[in-house]
Amino acid sequence: MREPAFWYRPRSPKSHLLSPLGALYGAITARRMARKGFDAGIPVICVGNYHVGGAGKTPTVLALTKLLRELGETPVVLSRGYGGRLTGPVMVDRAHHTAADIGDEPLMMVRDVPVAVARRRLDGVALAKSQGATVILMDDGFQNPHLKKDASLIVIDSERGLGNGKVFPAGPLRAPLKAQLARTDALVLIGDGHAADDVAAELERRGKPRLRARLTPDTASVAQLSGKSVFAFAGIGDPERFFRSLRASGIDVARTRPFADHHRFSHDELVLLAADARREQLTLVTTEKDLARLRGRSDVPGGIVPFAVQLTFDDPATLRQLISDHLYKARERLFSRR
């Protein structure tokens, strides 16, 4: 789905007209979030959003994977597999699965960490534990009440913030902000913007930390595109952020083509992209997530360059202490039940 432009405008007649539906949807979601979830028997760390669309959850999950391994843990990611046909539970295998099977994000993440896909997340718990998981990392699912979370880290793009602050469909929020703030353990602000400073300040008043992070381009990706003019395309939550990242890395972006998040590229679209790039002597470049979605297709043009990024935290020591504390509290709770 492509986000409606009015979600990110302060006032809109469309938003006003949809507000009653947003109030109903929000009340139902807030009530669901209050339910007591199933205890997985091992710590569960959730990386989520307050709003519809992406803001950097996948890079955050991968950064936490690295940290957890440094702490001696064996993380397994639990994903719903959005966009895939398999309901699971199934462990992702790059040799046999495509994005059409299990979604683009699991296919991208499995290069770095085992990923269990389950449409019903509870079904994936036993599978993750069978792989030797000592910690389950939930990719999304913050609003889902079925699984108890020991820590919830919420990711916000600091440039875009939360738009008009209204609940879907009147705005981008998945539930009323108050209900979501109450279940947040830390806020991850990606970038140098200030659009979410008020949300961060409210959480800090509640004793919850804000963590500033940024997406850092992979040096090899930058070197591969150095001196070339590129045609950048992306079907992610915020394609413009991707285009800005390319330009900020010194890459000559001659043309851009945004698509909706999780867009399934048609054969004709791929042919047109390749033809335009050839005609203007441009290099096609896209995100790793988009390229994962194209993997395994015979009609994908050659020469598409993936632009890799990784998430780096300004204060990794604070993140490390936060995760360590939540792991300790989770295990203390689990031990007391024995």
Side-chain angles (χ1 to χ4, degrees):
M1 184 186 80
R2 192 181 295 276
E3 295 177 346
F6 70 82
W7 281 1
Y8 287 87
R9 294 173 186 157
R11 294 184 181 183
S12 165
K14 291 181 180 178
S15 178
H16 180 72
L17 287 172
L18 291 170
S19 289
L21 281 176
L24 177 61
Y25 181 89
I28 293 171
T29 307
R31 192 176 301 117
R32 288 182 72 246
M33 289 178 67
R35 296 177 188 169
K36 186 177 180 180
F38 174 78
D39 194 329
I42 59 175
V44 174
I45 298 174
C46 176
V47 177
N49 293 138
Y50 290 149
H51 60 293
V52 175
K57 291 189 301 293
T58 300
T60 304
V61 168
L62 293 175
L64 289 177
T65 294
K66 181 179 178 182
L67 171 59
L68 286 167
R69 285 173 173 160
E70 290 172 357
L71 293 172
E73 304 289 344
T74 303
V76 171
V77 171
L78 179 58
S79 171
R80 187 174 178 271
Y82 181 84
R85 65 178 180 81
L86 297 181
T87 58
V90 60
M91 294 302 298
V92 178
D93 183 348
R94 278 178 65 87
H96 296 98
H97 292 141
T98 67
D101 296 323
I102 43 77
D104 48 16
E105 289 158 350
L107 198 63
M108 175 182 163
M109 290 187 291
V110 78
R111 294 177 306 178
D112 299 292
V113 59
V115 180
V117 162
R119 193 67 49 85
R120 291 181 68 255
R121 290 181 176 89
L122 286 184
D123 294 341
V125 170
L127 180 59
K129 292 170 73 172
S130 75
Q131 303 300 306
T134 62
V135 179
I136 289 175
L137 265 176
M138 284 184 67
D139 177 32
D140 209 0
F142 173 62
Q143 292 80 12
N144 187 292
H146 296 139
L147 189 58
K148 176 179 174 57
K149 293 102 174 166
D150 292 289
S152 292
L153 279 65
I154 300 301
V155 182
I156 299 181
D157 183 330
S158 66
E159 298 286 345
R160 303 184 80 206
L162 300 177
N164 61 15
K166 296 183 180 295
V167 177
F168 179 88
L173 293 186
R174 299 183 181 190
L177 186 57
K178 183 178 179 181
Q180 300 195 83
L181 289 171
R183 290 164 177 79
T184 302
D185 294 293
L187 196 65
V188 178
L189 296 176
I190 297 182
D192 297 314
H194 300 283
D197 283 359
D198 54 343
V199 178
E202 174 59 30
L203 279 170
E204 286 178 331
R205 284 193 287 272
R206 299 172 182 229
K208 308 298 183 182
R210 81 168 81 184
L211 302 165
R212 183 73 68 168
R214 61 203 71 249
L215 292 169
T216 306
D218 177 67
T219 54
S221 294
V222 175
Q224 190 174 2
L225 295 169
S226 179
K228 298 178 180 178
S229 293
V230 306
F231 183 178
F233 68 97
I236 57 175
D238 184 9
E240 292 300 328
R241 183 178 63 185
F242 169 59
F243 304 148
R244 289 195 302 269
S245 296
L246 288 168
R247 294 186 179 104
S249 300
I251 296 165
D252 177 22
V253 181
R255 284 191 61 179
T256 61
R257 177 79 190 275
F259 294 89
D261 196 15
H262 299 284
H263 179 73
R264 294 187 178 183
F265 295 96
S266 70
H267 173 76
D268 289 345
E269 286 170 336
L270 293 174
V271 169
L272 185 59
L273 286 168
D276 288 348
R278 281 196 305 270
R279 184 176 60 253
E280 300 179 33
Q281 296 184 317
L282 303 175
T283 299
L284 282 173
V285 61
T286 192
T287 67
E288 289 189 300
K289 179 177 167 180
D290 284 291
L291 201 59
R293 202 156 56 252
L294 294 172
R295 186 174 178 271
R297 290 180 52 171
S298 59
D299 59 347
V300 177
I304 300 178
V305 177
F307 189 72
V309 296
Q310 63 179 0
L311 193 70
T312 57
F313 284 82
D314 290 1
D315 187 358
T318 296
L319 175 66
R320 186 184 185 92
Q321 189 62 56
L322 172 77
I323 297 301
S324 296
D325 288 347
H326 280 288
L327 290 175
Y328 176 81
K329 291 175 183 177
R331 293 204 166 99
E332 188 176 47
R333 174 183 60 80
L334 291 168
F335 181 78
S336 67
R337 291 174 48 206
R338 295 177 181 176

